[in-house]
Structure formats: C-alpha cells, structure tokens
Coordinates of all heavy atoms in Angstrom, one line a residue:
M780 N 8.4 12.7 2.5 CA 7.8 14.1 2.3 C 9.1 14.9 1.6 O 8.9 15.5 0.7 CB 7.6 14.6 3.7 CG 6.3 14.1 4.3 SD 4.9 14.4 3.3 CE 4.7 16.1 3.2
A781 N 10.3 14.5 2.0 CA 11.5 15.2 1.3 C 11.6 14.8 -0.1 O 11.8 15.6 -1.0 CB 12.8 14.9 2.1
E782 N 11.3 13.5 -0.6 CA 11.4 13.3 -1.8 C 10.2 13.9 -2.6 O 10.5 14.4 -3.8 CB 11.2 11.7 -2.1 CG 11.4 11.3 -3.5 CD 11.4 9.8 -3.6 OE1 11.4 9.0 -2.7 OE2 11.3 9.2 -4.8
G783 N 9.1 14.0 -2.1 CA 7.9 14.6 -2.7 C 8.2 16.0 -2.9 O 7.9 16.6 -4.0
K784 N 8.8 16.7 -1.9 CA 9.1 18.1 -2.0 C 10.1 18.4 -3.2 O 10.0 19.3 -4.0 CB 9.6 18.5 -0.7 CG 9.9 20.2 -0.7 CD 10.4 20.6 0.6 CE 10.6 22.2 0.6 NZ 11.1 22.7 1.9
A785 N 11.1 17.6 -3.3 CA 12.1 17.7 -4.4 C 11.4 17.4 -5.7 O 11.7 18.2 -6.8 CB 13.2 16.7 -4.2
L786 N 10.7 16.4 -5.9 CA 9.9 16.2 -7.1 C 9.0 17.3 -7.4 O 8.8 17.5 -8.7 CB 9.2 14.8 -6.9 CG 10.0 13.6 -7.0 CD1 9.1 12.4 -6.7 CD2 10.7 13.3 -8.3
F787 N 8.3 17.9 -6.5 CA 7.4 19.0 -6.7 C 8.1 20.2 -7.4 O 7.4 20.8 -8.2 CB 6.8 19.4 -5.3 CG 5.5 20.2 -5.5 CD1 4.4 19.6 -5.5 CD2 5.6 21.7 -5.2 CE1 3.2 20.4 -5.6 CE2 4.4 22.4 -5.3 CZ 3.3 22.0 -5.5
A788 N 9.4 20.3 -7.2 CA 10.2 21.4 -7.9 C 11.0 20.9 -9.1 O 11.6 21.8 -9.7 CB 11.1 22.1 -6.8
D789 N 10.8 19.7 -9.4 CA 11.7 19.1 -10.6 C 11.1 19.3 -11.9 O 10.1 18.6 -12.3 CB 11.9 17.6 -10.3 CG 13.0 17.1 -11.1 OD1 13.4 17.7 -12.1 OD2 13.4 15.9 -10.8
T790 N 11.8 20.3 -12.6 CA 11.3 20.5 -14.1 C 11.6 19.2 -15.0 O 11.0 19.2 -16.1 CB 12.0 21.7 -14.6 OG1 13.4 21.6 -14.6 CG2 11.5 22.9 -13.9
K791 N 12.4 18.3 -14.6 CA 12.8 17.1 -15.5 C 11.6 16.3 -15.5 O 11.6 15.4 -16.4 CB 14.0 16.5 -14.9 CG 15.2 17.2 -15.0 CD 16.4 16.5 -14.3 CE 17.5 17.4 -13.9 NZ 18.2 17.0 -12.8
L792 N 10.5 16.4 -14.7 CA 9.3 15.5 -14.8 C 8.5 15.9 -16.1 O 7.7 14.9 -16.4 CB 8.6 15.6 -13.5 CG 9.1 15.0 -12.2 CD1 8.1 15.3 -11.1 CD2 9.4 13.5 -12.4
S793 N 8.7 17.1 -16.4 CA 7.8 17.5 -17.7 C 8.6 17.6 -18.9 O 9.7 17.3 -19.0 CB 7.3 18.9 -17.3 OG 8.3 19.9 -17.5
S794 N 7.8 17.7 -20.0 CA 8.5 17.8 -21.4 C 8.5 19.3 -21.7 O 8.9 19.7 -22.8 CB 7.5 17.1 -22.4 OG 6.4 17.6 -22.5
N795 N 8.0 20.2 -20.9 CA 7.8 21.5 -21.3 C 8.5 22.6 -20.3 O 8.2 23.8 -20.3 CB 6.3 21.9 -21.5 CG 5.5 21.7 -20.3 OD1 6.0 21.5 -19.3 ND2 4.2 21.8 -20.4
G796 N 9.3 22.0 -19.4 CA 10.0 22.9 -18.4 C 9.2 23.3 -17.1 O 9.7 24.0 -16.4
L797 N 8.0 22.8 -17.1 CA 7.3 23.2 -15.9 C 7.5 22.1 -14.9 O 7.9 20.9 -15.0 CB 5.6 23.0 -16.2 CG 5.1 24.1 -17.0 CD1 3.7 23.8 -17.3 CD2 5.3 25.4 -16.5
S798 N 7.4 22.5 -13.5 CA 7.3 21.6 -12.4 C 6.0 21.8 -11.7 O 5.2 22.8 -12.0 CB 8.4 22.0 -11.4 OG 8.2 23.2 -10.7
C799 N 5.7 21.0 -10.8 CA 4.3 21.2 -9.9 C 4.4 22.6 -9.4 O 3.2 23.2 -9.4 CB 4.4 20.2 -8.9 SG 4.3 18.4 -9.4
Q800 N 5.5 23.0 -9.0 CA 5.5 24.4 -8.3 C 5.4 25.4 -9.3 O 5.1 26.7 -8.8 CB 6.7 24.6 -7.3 CG 8.0 24.8 -8.0 CD 9.1 24.9 -6.8 OE1 8.9 24.6 -5.7 NE2 10.2 25.6 -7.2
S801 N 5.5 25.2 -10.5 CA 5.3 26.3 -11.6 C 3.9 26.9 -11.4 O 3.7 28.1 -11.5 CB 5.5 25.8 -12.9 OG 6.9 25.4 -13.1
C802 N 3.0 26.0 -11.1 CA 1.6 26.4 -10.9 C 1.1 26.6 -9.5 O 0.1 27.3 -9.3 CB 0.6 25.4 -11.6 SG 0.8 25.2 -13.5
H803 N 1.9 26.0 -8.6 CA 1.4 25.9 -7.3 C 2.7 26.6 -6.4 O 3.0 26.0 -5.3 CB 1.2 24.5 -6.7 CG 0.2 23.8 -7.6 ND1 -1.1 24.1 -7.4 CD2 0.3 22.8 -8.4 CE1 -1.9 23.4 -8.2 NE2 -1.0 22.6 -8.9
V804 N 3.0 27.8 -6.8 CA 4.0 28.6 -6.0 C 3.5 28.8 -4.7 O 2.5 29.4 -4.5 CB 4.5 29.9 -6.7 CG1 5.4 30.6 -6.0 CG2 4.9 29.5 -8.1
G805 N 4.3 28.4 -3.6 CA 3.8 28.8 -2.2 C 2.5 28.2 -1.8 O 1.8 28.8 -1.1
G806 N 2.1 27.1 -2.5 CA 0.7 26.6 -2.1 C -0.3 27.3 -2.9 O -1.5 26.9 -2.7
G807 N 0.0 28.1 -3.8 CA -1.1 28.8 -4.6 C -1.7 28.0 -5.6 O -1.2 26.9 -5.9
A808 N -2.7 28.4 -6.4 CA -3.5 27.9 -7.4 C -4.2 26.5 -7.0 O -4.5 25.8 -7.7 CB -2.6 27.4 -8.6
Y809 N -4.4 26.3 -5.6 CA -5.1 25.3 -5.1 C -6.5 25.9 -4.8 O -6.6 27.0 -4.1 CB -4.5 24.6 -3.9 CG -3.4 23.9 -4.0 CD1 -2.1 24.2 -3.7 CD2 -3.4 22.7 -4.8 CE1 -0.9 23.6 -3.7 CE2 -2.2 21.9 -4.9 CZ -1.1 22.4 -4.3 OH 0.0 21.5 -4.6
Q810 N -7.5 25.3 -5.2 CA -8.9 25.7 -4.9 C -9.2 25.4 -3.4 O -8.6 24.4 -2.9 CB -9.9 25.1 -5.9 CG -9.7 25.4 -7.4 CD -9.9 27.0 -7.7 OE1 -10.7 27.5 -7.1 NE2 -8.9 27.5 -8.4
A811 N -10.2 26.0 -2.9 CA -10.6 25.6 -1.5 C -11.1 24.2 -1.4 O -10.9 23.5 -0.4 CB -11.7 26.5 -1.1
S812 N -11.5 23.6 -2.5 CA -12.0 22.2 -2.5 C -10.8 21.2 -2.3 O -11.1 20.1 -1.8 CB -12.6 21.9 -3.8 OG -11.7 21.9 -4.8
F813 N -9.6 21.6 -2.4 CA -8.5 20.8 -2.1 C -8.4 20.4 -0.7 O -7.7 19.3 -0.5 CB -7.1 21.4 -2.8 CG -7.0 21.2 -4.2 CD1 -8.0 21.6 -5.2 CD2 -5.8 20.6 -4.7 CE1 -7.8 21.4 -6.4 CE2 -5.7 20.6 -6.0 CZ -6.6 20.9 -6.9
A814 N -8.9 21.2 0.1 CA -8.9 21.0 1.6 C -9.8 19.8 2.0 O -9.7 19.3 3.1 CB -9.1 22.2 2.4
Q815 N -10.6 19.4 1.0 CA -11.6 18.4 1.3 C -11.1 17.1 1.3 O -10.1 16.9 0.5 CB -12.9 18.5 0.3 CG -13.7 19.8 0.3 CD -14.6 19.7 -0.9 OE1 -14.9 18.7 -1.5 NE2 -15.2 20.9 -1.2
P816 N -11.6 16.0 1.9 CA -11.0 14.7 1.8 C -11.2 14.2 0.4 O -12.2 14.5 -0.3 CB -11.8 13.8 2.8 CG -12.5 14.8 3.6 CD -12.7 16.1 3.0
Y817 N -10.2 13.5 -0.2 CA -10.3 12.9 -1.4 C -11.2 11.5 -1.3 O -11.2 10.9 -0.4 CB -9.0 12.6 -2.0 CG -8.2 13.7 -2.5 CD1 -7.4 14.6 -1.7 CD2 -8.4 14.2 -3.9 CE1 -6.8 15.8 -2.3 CE2 -7.7 15.3 -4.4 CZ -7.0 16.1 -3.6 OH -6.3 17.1 -4.1
P818 N -11.8 11.2 -2.4 CA -11.9 12.0 -3.7 C -13.0 13.0 -3.5 O -13.9 13.0 -2.7 CB -12.6 10.8 -4.6 CG -13.2 9.9 -3.7 CD -12.4 9.8 -2.4
H819 N -12.7 14.1 -4.3 CA -13.7 15.2 -4.4 C -13.6 15.8 -5.8 O -12.6 15.6 -6.6 CB -13.4 16.2 -3.4 CG -12.0 17.0 -3.4 ND1 -11.0 16.6 -2.5 CD2 -11.7 17.8 -4.3 CE1 -10.1 17.2 -2.9 NE2 -10.3 18.0 -3.9
P820 N -14.7 16.7 -6.1 CA -14.6 17.3 -7.6 C -13.4 18.3 -7.5 O -13.1 19.0 -6.6 CB -15.9 18.0 -7.6 CG -16.8 17.3 -6.5 CD -15.9 16.8 -5.4
V821 N -12.8 18.4 -8.6 CA -11.7 19.4 -8.9 C -12.0 20.0 -10.3 O -12.3 19.1 -11.2 CB -10.3 18.7 -8.9 CG1 -9.3 19.8 -9.3 CG2 -10.1 18.3 -7.4
A822 N -12.0 21.2 -10.6 CA -12.4 21.9 -11.8 C -11.5 21.3 -13.0 O -12.2 20.8 -14.0 CB -12.1 23.4 -11.7
M823 N -10.2 21.3 -12.8 CA -9.5 20.6 -14.0 C -9.8 19.3 -14.2 O -9.9 18.8 -15.4 CB -8.0 20.7 -13.6 CG -7.0 20.3 -14.9 SD -5.3 20.7 -14.7 CE -4.8 19.3 -13.8
A824 N -10.1 18.4 -13.2 CA -10.5 17.1 -13.4 C -11.9 16.9 -14.1 O -12.0 16.1 -15.0 CB -10.5 16.3 -12.0
S825 N -12.8 17.8 -13.7 CA -14.1 17.8 -14.2 C -14.1 18.1 -15.8 O -14.7 17.5 -16.5 CB -15.0 18.8 -13.6 OG -15.2 18.5 -12.3
E826 N -13.2 19.1 -16.2 CA -13.0 19.5 -17.5 C -12.4 18.2 -18.4 O -12.5 18.3 -19.6 CB -12.0 20.7 -17.6 CG -12.5 21.9 -17.0 CD -11.5 22.9 -16.9 OE1 -10.3 22.8 -17.1 OE2 -11.9 24.1 -16.3
N827 N -11.9 17.2 -17.6 CA -11.3 16.1 -18.3 C -12.0 14.8 -18.1 O -11.4 13.6 -18.2 CB -9.7 16.0 -17.8 CG -9.0 17.0 -18.5 OD1 -8.5 16.9 -19.7 ND2 -8.7 18.1 -17.7
G828 N -13.3 15.0 -17.6 CA -14.2 13.8 -17.6 C -14.3 13.1 -16.3 O -14.9 12.2 -16.2
F829 N -13.7 13.7 -15.2 CA -13.7 13.1 -13.9 C -14.8 13.8 -13.0 O -14.8 15.0 -12.9 CB -12.4 13.2 -13.1 CG -11.3 12.3 -13.7 CD1 -10.5 12.8 -14.7 CD2 -11.1 11.0 -13.2 CE1 -9.4 12.2 -15.2 CE2 -10.0 10.4 -13.8 CZ -9.2 10.9 -14.7
E830 N -15.8 13.0 -12.5 CA -16.7 13.7 -11.6 C -16.1 13.9 -10.2 O -16.3 15.0 -9.7 CB -17.9 12.7 -11.4 CG -19.0 13.3 -10.5 CD -20.2 12.4 -10.5 OE1 -20.6 11.8 -11.5 OE2 -20.8 12.2 -9.5
A831 N -15.3 13.1 -9.8 CA -14.6 13.3 -8.5 C -13.2 12.6 -8.7 O -12.9 11.7 -9.5 CB -15.1 12.6 -7.3
I832 N -12.1 13.0 -8.0 CA -10.8 12.5 -8.3 C -10.0 12.2 -7.0 O -10.3 12.9 -6.0 CB -10.0 13.4 -9.1 CG1 -8.8 12.8 -9.9 CG2 -9.7 14.8 -8.5 CD1 -8.3 13.6 -11.0
H833 N -9.3 11.2 -6.9 CA -8.3 10.9 -6.0 C -7.0 11.6 -6.0 O -6.7 12.0 -7.1 CB -8.0 9.4 -5.9 CG -9.2 8.5 -5.5 ND1 -10.1 8.1 -6.4 CD2 -9.6 8.0 -4.4 CE1 -11.0 7.4 -5.9 NE2 -10.8 7.3 -4.6
A834 N -6.3 11.9 -5.0 CA -5.1 12.7 -4.9 C -4.1 12.1 -5.9 O -3.6 12.9 -6.6 CB -4.5 12.8 -3.5
D835 N -3.9 10.8 -6.0 CA -2.9 10.2 -7.0 C -3.3 10.4 -8.3 O -2.5 10.6 -9.3 CB -2.6 8.8 -6.7 CG -3.8 7.9 -6.6 OD1 -4.9 8.3 -6.6 OD2 -3.5 6.7 -6.7
E836 N -4.7 10.4 -8.5 CA -5.1 10.6 -10.0 C -4.9 12.0 -10.4 O -4.7 12.4 -11.5 CB -6.6 10.3 -10.0 CG -7.0 8.7 -9.9 CD -8.4 8.5 -9.8 OE1 -9.2 9.3 -9.1 OE2 -8.8 7.4 -10.1
M837 N -5.1 13.0 -9.5 CA -4.9 14.4 -9.7 C -3.3 14.7 -10.0 O -3.1 15.4 -10.9 CB -5.2 15.2 -8.4 CG -5.5 16.8 -8.7 SD -6.7 17.1 -9.9 CE -5.9 18.2 -11.0
V838 N -2.5 14.1 -9.3 CA -1.0 14.2 -9.6 C -0.8 13.7 -11.1 O -0.2 14.3 -11.9 CB -0.2 13.4 -8.6 CG1 1.2 13.3 -9.1 CG2 -0.2 14.0 -7.4
Q839 N -1.4 12.5 -11.4 CA -1.2 12.0 -12.8 C -1.8 12.9 -13.9 O -1.2 13.2 -14.8 CB -1.9 10.7 -12.9 CG -1.3 9.5 -12.0 CD 0.1 9.1 -12.6 OE1 1.0 9.8 -13.0 NE2 0.3 7.8 -12.6
L840 N -2.9 13.5 -13.6 CA -3.6 14.4 -14.5 C -2.8 15.7 -14.7 O -2.5 16.2 -15.9 CB -5.1 14.9 -14.0 CG -5.8 15.8 -15.0 CD1 -5.9 15.0 -16.3 CD2 -7.2 16.1 -14.3
C841 N -2.1 16.1 -13.6 CA -1.2 17.4 -13.7 C 0.1 17.0 -14.6 O 0.5 17.7 -15.4 CB -0.8 17.8 -12.3 SG -2.1 18.7 -11.6
M842 N 0.5 15.8 -14.4 CA 1.6 15.3 -15.1 C 1.4 15.3 -16.7 O 2.1 15.7 -17.4 CB 2.0 13.9 -14.8 CG 2.7 13.7 -13.4 SD 4.3 14.5 -13.2 CE 5.2 13.6 -14.5
V843 N 0.1 14.8 -17.0 CA -0.2 14.7 -18.4 C -0.7 15.9 -19.0 O -0.3 16.1 -20.2 CB -1.4 13.6 -18.6 CG1 -1.9 13.5 -20.0 CG2 -0.8 12.2 -18.1
K844 N -1.6 16.7 -18.4 CA -1.9 17.9 -19.1 C -1.0 19.2 -18.9 O -0.3 19.4 -19.8 CB -3.3 18.2 -18.4 CG -4.4 17.3 -18.7 CD -4.8 17.3 -20.2 CE -5.9 16.3 -20.6 NZ -6.3 16.6 -21.9
P845 N -1.0 19.8 -17.7 CA -0.1 21.0 -17.8 C 1.3 20.8 -17.9 O 2.1 21.5 -18.6 CB -0.3 21.6 -16.3 CG -1.4 20.9 -15.7 CD -1.6 19.7 -16.4
M846 N 1.8 19.6 -17.6 CA 3.3 19.4 -17.6 C 3.7 18.6 -18.8 O 4.8 18.3 -19.2 CB 3.7 18.5 -16.4 CG 3.8 19.5 -15.1 SD 4.1 18.6 -13.5 CE 5.7 18.2 -13.8
A847 N 2.7 18.1 -19.7 CA 2.9 17.5 -20.9 C 3.8 16.3 -20.9 O 4.7 16.3 -21.7 CB 3.2 18.5 -22.0
A848 N 3.7 15.5 -19.9 CA 4.5 14.4 -19.7 C 3.8 13.1 -19.6 O 2.6 13.1 -19.6 CB 5.3 14.6 -18.4
Q849 N 4.5 12.0 -19.6 CA 3.9 10.8 -19.3 C 3.4 10.6 -17.9 O 4.1 11.1 -17.2 CB 4.8 9.5 -19.7 CG 5.1 9.5 -21.2 CD 4.0 9.1 -22.1 OE1 3.3 8.3 -21.8 NE2 3.9 10.1 -23.1
P850 N 2.4 9.8 -17.7 CA 2.1 9.6 -16.2 C 3.2 8.8 -15.6 O 3.8 8.0 -16.2 CB 0.7 8.9 -16.3 CG 0.6 8.3 -17.6 CD 1.5 9.2 -18.6
L851 N 3.2 8.9 -14.3 CA 4.3 8.2 -13.6 C 3.6 6.8 -13.2 O 2.4 6.5 -13.4 CB 4.4 8.8 -12.1 CG 4.9 10.2 -12.1 CD1 4.7 10.8 -10.7 CD2 6.5 10.2 -12.6
A852 N 4.4 5.7 -13.2 CA 4.0 4.4 -13.0 C 3.2 4.4 -11.7 O 3.6 5.1 -10.6 CB 5.1 3.5 -12.8
W853 N 2.0 3.7 -11.6 CA 1.1 3.7 -10.6 C 1.7 3.2 -9.3 O 1.4 3.5 -8.3 CB -0.3 2.9 -10.9 CG -1.1 3.8 -11.9 CD1 -1.3 3.6 -13.2 CD2 -1.9 4.9 -11.4 NE1 -2.1 4.6 -13.6 CE2 -2.5 5.4 -12.6 CE3 -2.1 5.5 -10.3 CZ2 -3.4 6.4 -12.6 CZ3 -3.0 6.6 -10.3 CH2 -3.7 6.9 -11.5
D854 N 2.7 2.3 -9.3 CA 3.3 1.6 -8.3 C 4.7 2.3 -8.0 O 5.5 1.7 -7.2 CB 3.6 0.2 -8.5 CG 4.3 -0.1 -9.7 OD1 4.7 0.6 -10.5 OD2 4.7 -1.4 -9.8
S855 N 4.9 3.4 -8.5 CA 6.3 4.1 -8.4 C 6.2 4.8 -7.0 O 5.4 5.3 -6.4 CB 6.6 5.1 -9.5 OG 5.7 6.1 -9.4
K856 N 7.5 5.0 -6.5 CA 7.9 5.7 -5.4 C 7.7 7.3 -5.6 O 7.2 7.9 -4.7 CB 9.4 5.5 -4.9 CG 9.5 4.2 -4.3 CD 11.0 4.0 -3.8 CE 11.1 2.6 -3.3 NZ 12.5 2.3 -2.8
A857 N 7.9 7.6 -6.8 CA 7.6 9.1 -7.2 C 6.3 9.5 -7.1 O 5.9 10.5 -6.5 CB 8.2 9.3 -8.6
L858 N 5.3 8.6 -7.5 CA 3.9 8.9 -7.5 C 3.5 9.0 -6.0 O 2.8 9.8 -5.6 CB 3.0 8.1 -8.3 CG 1.5 8.1 -8.1 CD1 1.2 9.6 -8.7 CD2 0.8 7.2 -8.9
A859 N 4.0 8.0 -5.2 CA 3.6 8.0 -3.8 C 4.1 9.2 -3.0 O 3.5 9.7 -2.3 CB 4.2 6.6 -3.2
A860 N 5.3 9.5 -3.4 CA 6.0 10.7 -2.8 C 5.3 12.0 -3.1 O 5.1 12.7 -2.1 CB 7.5 10.9 -3.0
L861 N 4.9 12.2 -4.3 CA 4.3 13.4 -4.8 C 2.8 13.5 -4.1 O 2.5 14.6 -3.7 CB 4.2 13.5 -6.3 CG 5.3 14.2 -6.9 CD1 5.2 14.0 -8.5 CD2 5.4 15.6 -6.7
T862 N 2.2 12.5 -4.1 CA 0.9 12.4 -3.6 C 1.0 12.7 -2.1 O 0.1 13.4 -1.5 CB 0.2 11.0 -3.8 OG1 0.2 10.7 -5.2 CG2 -1.1 10.9 -3.2
A863 N 1.8 12.0 -1.5 CA 2.0 12.3 0.1 C 2.3 13.8 0.3 O 1.7 14.4 1.2 CB 3.1 11.4 0.7
Y864 N 3.2 14.4 -0.5 CA 3.7 15.8 -0.3 C 2.5 16.7 -0.6 O 2.2 17.6 0.1 CB 4.8 16.1 -1.3 CG 5.2 17.5 -1.1 CD1 6.0 17.9 0.1 CD2 5.0 18.5 -2.0 CE1 6.4 19.2 0.2 CE2 5.3 19.8 -1.9 CZ 6.1 20.1 -0.7 OH 6.4 21.4 -0.5
V865 N 1.7 16.4 -1.6 CA 0.6 17.3 -2.0 C -0.6 17.2 -0.9 O -1.2 18.2 -0.6 CB -0.1 16.8 -3.3 CG1 -1.4 17.6 -3.6 CG2 0.9 17.2 -4.5
L866 N -0.8 16.0 -0.4 CA -1.8 15.8 0.7 C -1.3 16.6 2.0 O -2.0 17.1 2.7 CB -2.0 14.4 1.0 CG -2.8 13.7 -0.1 CD1 -3.0 12.2 0.2 CD2 -4.3 14.2 -0.3

C-alpha cells in the first residue's frame, strides 16, 4: 500500500507532469461506479472501447490516456501496487 500511495503521487510515471492524484485529489474524480466490484463499466473505459474493465486495466488506461505514458509491465510490482492502492 505504501508503494502504491507513493506511485499515485509520482509525476515521473507520466510524460506530461501528471500523477494519478492530479485527477484524483483526495479521492475525487471517481464515479460512484468505482465502488462496485471489478470488472464494471467506467465512462473513460467505455469511451476507449471497453464494455467493462478490471482495476489493473483501468490503471493502465490512465497511464496511457491522461498521463500520456507507456503502460506498466503487466507483471510489474508497480502495477500491482497501484492497483492495490486504488482498490
């Protein structure tokens, strides 16, 4: 959880100076649907062709779209930590 929290605030993950918390300050910018068990529909995911999305896929989508970065390796500790922190 500590690693996920640190990564959530890390602007070095992006190519444009954003971090996860840039959009999700204080838990903000999460829709009510985020409280549902994954996978579930998410507006940003739907706009990008996903009917329903898993939490790790949502982290990856945020990395690629708003943060304009490469996705994390699927087997990386960073992806696991961010996913755990978001959940």
Side-chain angles (χ1 to χ4, degrees):
M780 292 300 292
E782 183 178 351
K784 183 177 183 178
L786 290 169
F787 198 79
D789 191 349
T790 58
K791 293 180 204 145
L792 291 178
S793 74
S794 69
N795 58 13
L797 293 178
S798 70
C799 301
Q800 75 179 13
S801 297
C802 296
H803 302 288
V804 177
Y809 288 112
Q810 301 296 319
S812 66
F813 279 51
Q815 300 172 14
Y817 281 91
H819 64 254
V821 174
M823 187 171 82
S825 297
E826 293 165 3
N827 286 280
F829 293 89
E830 186 173 314
I832 196 162
H833 290 85
D835 59 345
E836 294 170 328
M837 194 65 231
V838 169
Q839 295 284 47
L840 184 58
C841 285
M842 291 294 301
V843 173
K844 292 295 182 171
M846 293 173 65
Q849 294 296 313
L851 300 167
W853 285 104
D854 61 351
S855 69
K856 289 181 181 180
L858 179 58
L861 273 171
T862 301
Y864 183 72
V865 169
L866 289 174

